[in-house]
Amino acid sequence: MQYFVQRWYTAWQMASVPPKQNLSKWQHFLQRRRMFRNWYKVVFPFNRLFNHQTKLVLRNGYEVWVRSVFSGDLTTVEGVLHQDEYGEALKGLPPDAVIYDLGANIGTFSIAAKKACPHARIVAYEPEAQNFVLLQKNAPFAELHQEAVAGVSGHISFDASSHPYAHRISKEGTTTLVARALGDVLADAHIHLAKIDIEGAEHDALELADPALFARVGRIIMETHHLGTWGKEKLEALGYTARWCYRLLWMGQTQTQWYTAREFSLCVLSSR
């Protein structure tokens, strides 16, 4: 029964997702040219020269290192630094805000937070080694930790076989990493904003944390990877006013199901 409920829920969500727009080569060229000052790095045929770590400069002033112009890093850069996905979460924060970036990836959110709050104390956690190298380049102003955030502190198995922006804690993981519980991570007396994007570990991290912890966290923006409304309901139960920011769907195949669709990006913005 649960399987059919999930399939129905996913189909209902799919009805509200606009179809992906396919750009012509000329439209793609113009889009990249409008986005980047050094646009030649990301368009054919010059992009073939930059299949390695390189710095991209956006026309809005952001500078960011990516592992390659062919990597998924460009999708992250476009969403966070060009489309300003976290703009509303950062709006209204004081210049010296305390901001935590949990699941920092290559540091795009930390870069945006630094611009919004020039004197902020930014603390970033990212466990994956390649991501962390780029995080060090992109966010030297932040306090950086190469650790995962999970339900409990200790050593965990980490799956690094998927895309670098979707590595996750998994029992099937082949890499062992140090993890810290959310209560051990959020150490400041007052935190203005915590961004939580920890690829599925957010469920245990919030469920196992002391509810009193959240009394000193003013605002949370969280990506949840669970079907249904758990993330929004959990934050509301902790005393936040929560709402969805955006919803994305991933569709594909698995070995056990011929066709599957799961909601993987339900971004919840909450504040007190």
Side-chain angles (χ1 to χ4, degrees):
M1 175 61 73
Q2 183 181 6
Y3 168 77
F4 291 106
V5 170
Q6 289 184 345
R7 288 295 297 272
W8 173 85
Y9 175 80
T10 302
W12 176 73
Q13 289 293 332
M14 282 295 292
S16 64
V17 177
K20 183 177 179 181
Q21 183 181 6
N22 293 318
L23 301 178
S24 68
K25 291 182 179 180
W26 176 245
Q27 288 174 319
H28 183 267
F29 169 79
L30 292 177
Q31 182 188 64
R32 294 293 176 89
R33 197 174 191 281
R34 286 192 295 264
M35 191 184 310
F36 297 102
R37 289 183 181 174
N38 51 355
W39 53 268
Y40 54 88
K41 288 188 175 184
V42 293
V43 299
F44 181 83
F46 311 107
N47 55 357
R48 296 186 177 187
L49 301 174
F50 300 99
N51 192 16
H52 51 74
Q53 278 192 24
T54 188
K55 180 191 283 189
L56 298 176
V57 181
L58 281 73
R59 293 193 182 275
N60 58 16
Y62 287 121
E63 297 183 4
V64 58
W65 283 88
V66 298
R67 72 198 78 225
S68 161
V69 297
F70 295 99
S71 71
D73 295 343
L74 260 69
T75 301
T76 305
V77 168
E78 180 178 358
V80 178
L81 299 181
H82 178 65
Q83 298 177 354
D84 198 25
E85 286 178 351
Y86 292 106
E88 188 171 357
L90 293 165
K91 188 182 300 182
L93 296 181
D96 58 348
V98 177
I99 300 172
Y100 276 69
D101 185 359
L102 309 183
N105 195 257
I106 65 171
T108 50
F109 172 79
S110 290
I111 293 172
K114 180 66 173 177
K115 183 176 181 180
C117 307
H119 307 295
R121 164 175 153 78
I122 299 173
V123 183
Y125 280 77
E126 172 54 46
E128 203 278 325
Q130 293 183 29
N131 286 343
F132 193 78
V133 169
L134 289 167
L135 178 62
Q136 289 175 304
K137 285 189 171 186
N138 287 325
F141 48 80
E143 180 184 317
L144 305 179
H145 300 267
Q146 191 177 354
E147 296 173 321
V149 179
V152 295
S153 297
H155 289 82
I156 49 92
S157 295
F158 191 73
D159 180 7
S161 62
S162 59
H163 292 291
Y165 51 81
H167 293 160
R168 60 191 176 88
I169 296 172
S170 171
K171 293 180 180 179
E172 290 76 34
T174 56
T175 304
T176 301
L177 296 174
V178 175
R180 296 184 66 190
L182 193 62
D184 296 334
V185 169
L186 301 177
D188 285 81
H190 178 68
I191 299 167
H192 293 85
L193 172 64
K195 168 251 184 182
I196 303 175
D197 184 3
I198 50 179
E199 301 303 329
E202 67 281 346
H203 182 276
D204 288 350
L206 266 70
E207 292 290 351
L208 298 178
D210 183 353
L213 166 70
F214 300 94
R216 47 193 171 88
V217 183
R219 191 181 297 177
I220 292 176
I221 185 162
M222 179 178 72
E223 185 173 294
T224 176
H225 298 70
H226 300 269
L227 281 169
T229 57
W230 166 82
K232 183 173 182 290
E233 292 172 353
K234 178 63 179 179
L235 292 171
E236 288 175 339
L238 291 169
Y240 292 94
T241 300
R243 65 179 180 80
W244 298 121
C245 294
Y246 57 83
R247 303 183 180 205
L248 301 175
L249 289 173
W250 173 87
M251 302 178 65
Q253 288 184 359
T254 67
Q255 293 179 346
T256 55
Q257 294 175 220
W258 177 251
Y259 174 80
T260 181
R262 69 183 181 94
E263 203 162 357
F264 81 95
S265 180
L266 296 179
C267 190
V268 185
L269 174 60
S270 57
S271 59
R272 295 189 182 278

